[in-house]
Amino acid sequence: MKNLLVLIFSLAILSLSLAPALAEAKEGVAVVVVDVQGDFTTAQKGSLAVPNTDQSYLENVSKATEQLKKAGLPIYAGQDWHPADHISFASNHKDKKPFETIKLDDGRTQVLWPVHCVQGTNAAQILVNPALITKVIQKGMDSKFDSYSGFMDDGGAKTELDKVLKAADIKTLIVYGIATDYCVKATVLDGLKEGYNVYVINDLCRGVADDTSKAALEEMKQKGAKIWPSLDLDNIKNL
Ligand SMILES: [Zn+2]
């Protein structure tokens, strides 16, 4: 009996001494899940559904996010969150159709999209278990500016993301989500510009089109992002 108590006591001490080491290994690393929302998925028959975003894709994203959370990483989730009069909706422009491109008064080019991710609608909800999410970072709330990047909109107005990451002393980002060729790309490129090390998990990303997704991955790589084919938890330990 005494030996058993000594053993239990020793195990308790051992687990206590291991815990900080484990936490330390993860310090400075965070996950950014980009726009995994109903309107962008075929699973939810979204208005702007990106190919191959079916239920099994969502399950893979959920599983990976759960594993990363269990590994001790904070999870930040981007959420496209537009007012009904948003500039990116084709229906807000006379005689324009989705996927056409227009020139705005200030010279910017704007791709027009179907109405999507309208604030407060079910289709704008994030499809990752809220219990896993450290903080939701919303974007695209200014009707005059689109915001592919999770860091800032097309007018240069910053979201909370950089501030929140810096406050948590984050230096390295693991990024995946929708869409490779738009919001993932813009978020990754801005993350690099802000000085973060950025890792992209390719098989947890989905793009609007193959050619633009391929080009986007190439550009992210050239600008300094590391592209991982899939999530490998052993790699995370070595970050
Ligand atoms: Zn949008």
Side-chain angles (χ1 to χ4, degrees):
M1 184 64 184
K2 195 182 163 203
N3 282 347
L4 186 64
L5 282 175
V6 168
L7 179 68
I8 288 169
F9 187 67
S10 310
L11 282 174
I13 294 291
L14 183 68
S15 64
L16 276 177
S17 61
L18 281 177
L22 201 65
E24 215 172 314
K26 313 300 170 215
E27 236 168 63
V29 184
V31 177
V32 178
V33 185
V34 178
D35 302 11
V36 178
Q37 294 170 258
D39 262 339
F40 294 134
T41 66
T42 56
Q44 299 264 311
K45 298 188 172 60
S47 65
L48 184 41
V50 168
N52 305 312
T53 51
D54 54 5
Q55 200 55 41
S56 76
Y57 167 70
L58 291 178
E59 280 161 20
N60 289 341
V61 166
S62 288
K63 197 175 143 210
T65 309
E66 214 171 299
Q67 287 173 327
L68 290 162
K69 179 81 174 178
K70 273 189 191 147
L73 306 189
I75 314 285
Y76 298 96
Q79 185 177 37
D80 216 25
W81 194 244
H82 297 312
D85 63 348
H86 195 252
I87 198 159
S88 75
F89 299 165
S91 57
N92 288 332
H93 301 269
K94 201 170 174 286
D95 301 326
K96 292 293 173 191
K97 291 195 189 67
F99 308 107
E100 283 182 35
T101 299
I102 59 165
K103 264 271 189 263
L104 300 172
D105 292 343
D106 60 8
R108 282 182 296 130
T109 301
Q110 174 70 51
V111 181
L112 297 177
W113 304 105
V115 173
H116 65 276
C117 299
V118 174
Q119 293 172 6
T121 59
N122 265 341
Q125 293 311 304
I126 293 171
L127 304 175
V128 173
N129 179 0
L132 300 176
I133 298 173
T134 307
K135 189 168 175 54
V136 172
I137 307 289
Q138 296 181 324
K139 64 189 175 73
M141 287 92 88
D142 186 336
S143 56
K144 297 186 295 301
F145 294 98
D146 210 351
S147 185
Y148 296 152
S149 166
F151 284 93
M152 69 183 78
D153 72 16
D154 291 358
K158 284 191 156 200
T159 66
E160 288 178 282
L161 185 57
D162 187 52
K163 203 172 77 183
V164 165
L165 293 173
K166 294 246 160 77
D169 213 16
I170 301 298
K171 306 266 191 294
T172 299
L173 306 177
I174 295 166
V175 182
Y176 50 85
I178 308 169
T180 317
D181 34 358
Y182 290 92
C183 296
V184 171
K185 172 183 155 187
T187 302
V188 166
L189 295 183
D190 276 351
L192 291 166
K193 262 188 232 159
E194 296 286 352
Y196 297 95
N197 307 307
V198 184
Y199 295 82
V200 181
I201 315 289
N202 195 5
D203 74 348
L204 296 175
C205 293
R206 293 291 184 269
V208 173
D210 281 347
D211 53 346
T212 45
S213 296
K214 230 172 137 179
L217 285 164
E218 196 48 48
E219 187 177 347
M220 291 185 256
K221 208 163 108 182
Q222 269 173 13
K223 299 236 162 96
K226 307 259 185 328
I227 315 292
W228 285 349
S230 57
L231 178 63
D232 181 343
L233 289 170
D234 285 336
N235 279 345
I236 308 286
K237 280 179 205 148
N238 300 324
L239 286 180

PDB file of all heavy atoms in Angstrom, residues 40 48 80 82 86 88-89 113 116-117 139 146-148, ligand 1:
ATOM      1  N   PHE A  40     -19.723  29.190 -47.937  1.00  0.00           N
ATOM      2  CA  PHE A  40     -18.574  28.812 -48.766  1.00  0.00           C
ATOM      3  C   PHE A  40     -18.488  27.303 -48.991  1.00  0.00           C
ATOM      4  O   PHE A  40     -17.532  26.824 -49.607  1.00  0.00           O
ATOM      5  CB  PHE A  40     -17.267  29.297 -48.118  1.00  0.00           C
ATOM      6  CG  PHE A  40     -17.146  30.804 -48.060  1.00  0.00           C
ATOM      7  CD1 PHE A  40     -16.737  31.442 -46.893  1.00  0.00           C
ATOM      8  CD2 PHE A  40     -17.421  31.591 -49.173  1.00  0.00           C
ATOM      9  CE1 PHE A  40     -16.622  32.831 -46.834  1.00  0.00           C
ATOM     10  CE2 PHE A  40     -17.315  32.982 -49.126  1.00  0.00           C
ATOM     11  CZ  PHE A  40     -16.920  33.604 -47.955  1.00  0.00           C
ATOM     12  N   LEU A  48     -21.985  30.671 -52.264  1.00  0.00           N
ATOM     13  CA  LEU A  48     -20.673  30.840 -52.898  1.00  0.00           C
ATOM     14  C   LEU A  48     -19.826  29.600 -52.557  1.00  0.00           C
ATOM     15  O   LEU A  48     -18.680  29.698 -52.125  1.00  0.00           O
ATOM     16  CB  LEU A  48     -20.027  32.141 -52.385  1.00  0.00           C
ATOM     17  CG  LEU A  48     -18.702  32.621 -52.949  1.00  0.00           C
ATOM     18  CD1 LEU A  48     -18.602  32.440 -54.456  1.00  0.00           C
ATOM     19  CD2 LEU A  48     -18.472  34.076 -52.586  1.00  0.00           C
ATOM     20  N   ASP A  80     -16.077  35.886 -42.485  1.00  0.00           N
ATOM     21  CA  ASP A  80     -16.569  36.894 -43.417  1.00  0.00           C
ATOM     22  C   ASP A  80     -17.938  37.329 -42.879  1.00  0.00           C
ATOM     23  O   ASP A  80     -18.794  36.467 -42.594  1.00  0.00           O
ATOM     24  CB  ASP A  80     -16.714  36.225 -44.805  1.00  0.00           C
ATOM     25  CG  ASP A  80     -16.359  37.157 -45.942  1.00  0.00           C
ATOM     26  OD1 ASP A  80     -15.573  38.109 -45.743  1.00  0.00           O
ATOM     27  OD2 ASP A  80     -16.868  36.927 -47.068  1.00  0.00           O
ATOM     28  N   HIS A  82     -20.608  40.269 -43.658  1.00  0.00           N
ATOM     29  CA  HIS A  82     -20.965  41.443 -44.454  1.00  0.00           C
ATOM     30  C   HIS A  82     -22.336  42.029 -44.117  1.00  0.00           C
ATOM     31  O   HIS A  82     -23.284  41.279 -43.879  1.00  0.00           O
ATOM     32  CB  HIS A  82     -20.999  41.070 -45.941  1.00  0.00           C
ATOM     33  CG  HIS A  82     -19.683  40.618 -46.494  1.00  0.00           C
ATOM     34  ND1 HIS A  82     -18.514  41.300 -46.292  1.00  0.00           N
ATOM     35  CD2 HIS A  82     -19.363  39.538 -47.270  1.00  0.00           C
ATOM     36  CE1 HIS A  82     -17.526  40.661 -46.915  1.00  0.00           C
ATOM     37  NE2 HIS A  82     -18.015  39.587 -47.508  1.00  0.00           N
ATOM     38  N   HIS A  86     -23.303  45.282 -48.946  1.00  0.00           N
ATOM     39  CA  HIS A  86     -21.852  45.186 -49.179  1.00  0.00           C
ATOM     40  C   HIS A  86     -21.489  45.338 -50.656  1.00  0.00           C
ATOM     41  O   HIS A  86     -22.171  44.813 -51.535  1.00  0.00           O
ATOM     42  CB  HIS A  86     -21.310  43.853 -48.638  1.00  0.00           C
ATOM     43  CG  HIS A  86     -19.830  43.843 -48.507  1.00  0.00           C
ATOM     44  ND1 HIS A  86     -19.001  43.122 -49.338  1.00  0.00           N
ATOM     45  CD2 HIS A  86     -19.020  44.521 -47.651  1.00  0.00           C
ATOM     46  CE1 HIS A  86     -17.742  43.339 -48.988  1.00  0.00           C
ATOM     47  NE2 HIS A  86     -17.730  44.173 -47.973  1.00  0.00           N
ATOM     48  N   SER A  88     -19.269  43.992 -52.443  1.00  0.00           N
ATOM     49  CA  SER A  88     -18.851  42.807 -53.218  1.00  0.00           C
ATOM     50  C   SER A  88     -20.037  42.007 -53.764  1.00  0.00           C
ATOM     51  O   SER A  88     -19.839  41.079 -54.533  1.00  0.00           O
ATOM     52  CB  SER A  88     -17.995  41.883 -52.338  1.00  0.00           C
ATOM     53  OG  SER A  88     -18.807  41.186 -51.407  1.00  0.00           O
ATOM     54  N   PHE A  89     -21.270  42.384 -53.389  1.00  0.00           N
ATOM     55  CA  PHE A  89     -22.428  41.622 -53.873  1.00  0.00           C
ATOM     56  C   PHE A  89     -22.868  42.151 -55.238  1.00  0.00           C
ATOM     57  O   PHE A  89     -23.206  43.331 -55.373  1.00  0.00           O
ATOM     58  CB  PHE A  89     -23.605  41.725 -52.893  1.00  0.00           C
ATOM     59  CG  PHE A  89     -23.324  41.180 -51.511  1.00  0.00           C
ATOM     60  CD1 PHE A  89     -24.176  41.483 -50.448  1.00  0.00           C
ATOM     61  CD2 PHE A  89     -22.226  40.356 -51.261  1.00  0.00           C
ATOM     62  CE1 PHE A  89     -23.937  40.990 -49.170  1.00  0.00           C
ATOM     63  CE2 PHE A  89     -21.970  39.858 -49.987  1.00  0.00           C
ATOM     64  CZ  PHE A  89     -22.828  40.180 -48.932  1.00  0.00           C
ATOM     65  N   TRP A 113     -19.478  39.062 -56.237  1.00  0.00           N
ATOM     66  CA  TRP A 113     -19.837  37.725 -55.768  1.00  0.00           C
ATOM     67  C   TRP A 113     -21.340  37.627 -55.541  1.00  0.00           C
ATOM     68  O   TRP A 113     -22.015  38.656 -55.396  1.00  0.00           O
ATOM     69  CB  TRP A 113     -19.111  37.443 -54.435  1.00  0.00           C
ATOM     70  CG  TRP A 113     -17.620  37.572 -54.486  1.00  0.00           C
ATOM     71  CD1 TRP A 113     -16.879  38.603 -53.974  1.00  0.00           C
ATOM     72  CD2 TRP A 113     -16.688  36.659 -55.076  1.00  0.00           C
ATOM     73  NE1 TRP A 113     -15.537  38.373 -54.199  1.00  0.00           N
ATOM     74  CE2 TRP A 113     -15.397  37.188 -54.876  1.00  0.00           C
ATOM     75  CE3 TRP A 113     -16.824  35.444 -55.748  1.00  0.00           C
ATOM     76  CZ2 TRP A 113     -14.245  36.547 -55.324  1.00  0.00           C
ATOM     77  CZ3 TRP A 113     -15.684  34.795 -56.202  1.00  0.00           C
ATOM     78  CH2 TRP A 113     -14.411  35.349 -55.987  1.00  0.00           C
ATOM     79  N   HIS A 116     -23.385  36.683 -49.907  1.00  0.00           N
ATOM     80  CA  HIS A 116     -22.848  35.619 -49.045  1.00  0.00           C
ATOM     81  C   HIS A 116     -22.500  36.172 -47.656  1.00  0.00           C
ATOM     82  O   HIS A 116     -22.206  37.361 -47.512  1.00  0.00           O
ATOM     83  CB  HIS A 116     -21.599  34.981 -49.683  1.00  0.00           C
ATOM     84  CG  HIS A 116     -20.452  35.949 -49.802  1.00  0.00           C
ATOM     85  ND1 HIS A 116     -20.322  36.837 -50.842  1.00  0.00           N
ATOM     86  CD2 HIS A 116     -19.386  36.184 -48.993  1.00  0.00           C
ATOM     87  CE1 HIS A 116     -19.240  37.568 -50.678  1.00  0.00           C
ATOM     88  NE2 HIS A 116     -18.645  37.204 -49.549  1.00  0.00           N
ATOM     89  N   CYS A 117     -22.504  35.299 -46.677  1.00  0.00           N
ATOM     90  CA  CYS A 117     -22.062  35.607 -45.315  1.00  0.00           C
ATOM     91  C   CYS A 117     -22.633  36.919 -44.785  1.00  0.00           C
ATOM     92  O   CYS A 117     -21.899  37.778 -44.267  1.00  0.00           O
ATOM     93  CB  CYS A 117     -20.537  35.619 -45.238  1.00  0.00           C
ATOM     94  SG  CYS A 117     -19.819  34.031 -45.677  1.00  0.00           S
ATOM     95  N   LYS A 139     -14.532  40.085 -40.330  1.00  0.00           N
ATOM     96  CA  LYS A 139     -13.986  40.994 -41.358  1.00  0.00           C
ATOM     97  C   LYS A 139     -15.060  41.290 -42.392  1.00  0.00           C
ATOM     98  O   LYS A 139     -16.049  40.559 -42.490  1.00  0.00           O
ATOM     99  CB  LYS A 139     -12.764  40.363 -42.034  1.00  0.00           C
ATOM    100  CG  LYS A 139     -13.089  39.095 -42.812  1.00  0.00           C
ATOM    101  CD  LYS A 139     -11.820  38.410 -43.274  1.00  0.00           C
ATOM    102  CE  LYS A 139     -12.092  37.090 -43.956  1.00  0.00           C
ATOM    103  NZ  LYS A 139     -12.660  37.200 -45.303  1.00  0.00           N
ATOM    104  N   ASP A 146     -14.101  45.390 -49.529  1.00  0.00           N
ATOM    105  CA  ASP A 146     -14.046  43.943 -49.371  1.00  0.00           C
ATOM    106  C   ASP A 146     -12.852  43.611 -48.475  1.00  0.00           C
ATOM    107  O   ASP A 146     -11.980  44.464 -48.243  1.00  0.00           O
ATOM    108  CB  ASP A 146     -13.906  43.254 -50.736  1.00  0.00           C
ATOM    109  CG  ASP A 146     -14.560  41.885 -50.721  1.00  0.00           C
ATOM    110  OD1 ASP A 146     -14.961  41.426 -49.639  1.00  0.00           O
ATOM    111  OD2 ASP A 146     -14.680  41.263 -51.791  1.00  0.00           O
ATOM    112  N   SER A 147     -12.810  42.391 -47.973  1.00  0.00           N
ATOM    113  CA  SER A 147     -11.747  42.020 -47.046  1.00  0.00           C
ATOM    114  C   SER A 147     -11.453  40.534 -47.174  1.00  0.00           C
ATOM    115  O   SER A 147     -12.005  39.728 -46.443  1.00  0.00           O
ATOM    116  CB  SER A 147     -12.171  42.367 -45.614  1.00  0.00           C
ATOM    117  OG  SER A 147     -11.099  42.127 -44.727  1.00  0.00           O
ATOM    118  N   TYR A 148     -10.595  40.184 -48.129  1.00  0.00           N
ATOM    119  CA  TYR A 148     -10.198  38.779 -48.238  1.00  0.00           C
ATOM    120  C   TYR A 148      -9.275  38.416 -47.077  1.00  0.00           C
ATOM    121  O   TYR A 148      -9.336  37.332 -46.532  1.00  0.00           O
ATOM    122  CB  TYR A 148      -9.463  38.530 -49.564  1.00  0.00           C
ATOM    123  CG  TYR A 148     -10.303  38.750 -50.812  1.00  0.00           C
ATOM    124  CD1 TYR A 148      -9.700  39.137 -52.006  1.00  0.00           C
ATOM    125  CD2 TYR A 148     -11.678  38.548 -50.794  1.00  0.00           C
ATOM    126  CE1 TYR A 148     -10.446  39.320 -53.159  1.00  0.00           C
ATOM    127  CE2 TYR A 148     -12.434  38.748 -51.938  1.00  0.00           C
ATOM    128  CZ  TYR A 148     -11.812  39.136 -53.120  1.00  0.00           C
ATOM    129  OH  TYR A 148     -12.540  39.318 -54.249  1.00  0.00           O
TER     130      TYR A 148
HETATM  131 ZN    ZN B   1     -17.048  38.142 -48.656  1.00  0.00          ZN
END
